[in-house]
Amino acid sequence: SRTTITRRVVEMSANVHTSLKDSCSAFEFFSLALDESTDVMDTAQLAVFIHGITPGLAVREEYLKLAPLKGTTTGRDIADAVISVIRDMGLDLSKLVSITTDGAPAMVGRQKGAVALLQQHCRQLGYIQEIRKVHCVIHQEALCAKSATLTEVMSVAVKAVNTILSRATNHRQFKALLEEAKAEFGDLLYFTEVRWLSRGRMLARVFDLRSEILEFFTQKESPIAAHF
């Protein structure tokens, strides 16, 4: 029944939260990564990630929480949201060694930025360890794509993907070819300019299916085959 399914989902969620909390409490040291963005409903969302090392020198990286920021998105709002996540997960701030952000002004302000406020919060609690600040590392793929010359690669990949996906007949035939070849993936991905991970994912999928794409365009006697 719907009630049973709802109860099971809640129980699974609670179990995942407890397991993550126990795992994070075992870290000898950890760092946080923060990325604030707006969803399709114009609600600001703060993604919080943790990267920690256990006593056995095992390195783990986990997604902690997606915290909605209602109203304003100042440095204080972000810092309060992060502190709330830290308290919820029972993290020991004396083990915090670095904070990585997306480089937004609300994050990097010297006095009222979220990172500066988090450092002040640690000092108020009596923790005086050095907390390193790193900015714009989360979006390094986007920065790399802007500086690297990938025009020829992107033009060929986008043309191939659009030729297959934008035409229903081609799309059906290509999916049938993938199914027959027992390929790792069942379809290609569209490239979206406004999403910073979209370019890399699309290129990775094209690379993984390059032999199937070559076979498809060879059967079609398309000049695109020469690029693969």
Side-chain angles (χ1 to χ4, degrees), residues 29-31 93-99 115 118-119 122-123 126-134:
F29 300 99
F30 69 89
S31 61
L93 281 174
S94 65
K95 300 178 180 179
L96 176 62
V97 295
S98 72
I99 301 176
V115 176
L118 288 172
Q119 288 178 315
C122 289
R123 288 195 293 269
Y127 305 136
I128 58 174
Q129 79 275 18
E130 180 185 3
I131 300 178
R132 297 183 178 275
K133 298 180 290 185
V134 184

Side-chain angles (χ1 to χ4, degrees), residues 36-135:
E36 184 268 320
S37 129
T38 303
D39 61 18
V40 294
M41 299 299 294
D42 290 332
T43 300
Q45 303 282 357
L46 177 67
V48 183
F49 301 85
I50 188 170
H51 189 96
I53 182 170
T54 66
L57 299 182
V59 178
R60 294 191 60 184
E61 185 172 298
E62 300 287 351
Y63 166 69
L64 283 184
K65 188 173 183 179
L66 185 67
L69 301 175
K70 299 180 180 179
T72 58
T73 56
T74 63
R76 171 54 64 186
D77 297 323
I78 296 173
D80 289 343
V82 175
I83 293 172
S84 176
V85 172
I86 290 173
R87 288 173 177 168
D88 181 49
M89 300 304 299
L91 298 174
D92 185 356
L93 281 174
S94 65
K95 300 178 180 179
L96 176 62
V97 295
S98 72
I99 301 176
T100 301
T101 75
D102 57 7
M107 297 278 194
V108 303
R110 183 172 299 181
Q111 300 296 331
K112 297 183 179 180
V115 176
L117 294 175
L118 288 172
Q119 288 178 315
Q120 294 176 17
H121 180 72
C122 289
R123 288 195 293 269
Q124 290 172 359
L125 295 176
Y127 305 136
I128 58 174
Q129 79 275 18
E130 180 185 3
I131 300 178
R132 297 183 178 275
K133 298 180 290 185
V134 184
H135 302 303

Side-chain angles (χ1 to χ4, degrees), residues 3-18:
T3 304
T4 301
I5 294 174
T6 301
R7 187 183 69 251
R8 288 179 177 176
V9 170
V10 172
E11 291 175 351
M12 290 170 63
S13 175
N15 180 263
V16 170
H17 181 271
T18 301

Side-chain angles (χ1 to χ4, degrees), residues 121-220:
H121 180 72
C122 289
R123 288 195 293 269
Q124 290 172 359
L125 295 176
Y127 305 136
I128 58 174
Q129 79 275 18
E130 180 185 3
I131 300 178
R132 297 183 178 275
K133 298 180 290 185
V134 184
H135 302 303
C136 290
V137 173
I138 294 178
H139 291 195
Q140 58 184 330
E141 290 88 350
L143 297 175
C144 178
K146 289 181 179 180
S147 60
T149 304
L150 300 174
T151 305
E152 295 182 1
V153 175
M154 283 300 301
S155 61
V156 172
V158 170
K159 185 176 181 180
V161 171
N162 289 344
T163 300
I164 293 173
L165 297 184
S166 63
R167 301 174 185 175
T169 303
N170 287 349
H171 195 191
R172 288 196 301 269
Q173 292 174 348
F174 184 72
K175 292 181 69 174
L177 187 151
L178 294 179
E179 184 176 355
E180 181 181 349
K182 296 182 179 180
E184 181 180 359
F185 302 100
D187 207 349
L188 292 170
L189 298 175
Y190 268 121
F191 165 55
T192 307
E193 185 71 39
V194 296
R195 296 180 180 175
W196 66 279
L197 281 178
S198 178
R199 186 193 306 264
R201 288 177 177 173
M202 185 272 288
L203 287 175
R205 184 65 59 86
V206 169
F207 180 80
D208 291 335
L209 298 177
R210 61 190 182 281
S211 59
E212 289 80 6
I213 294 174
L214 173 60
E215 181 179 351
F216 178 80
F217 284 118
T218 300
Q219 293 176 359
K220 292 287 186 179

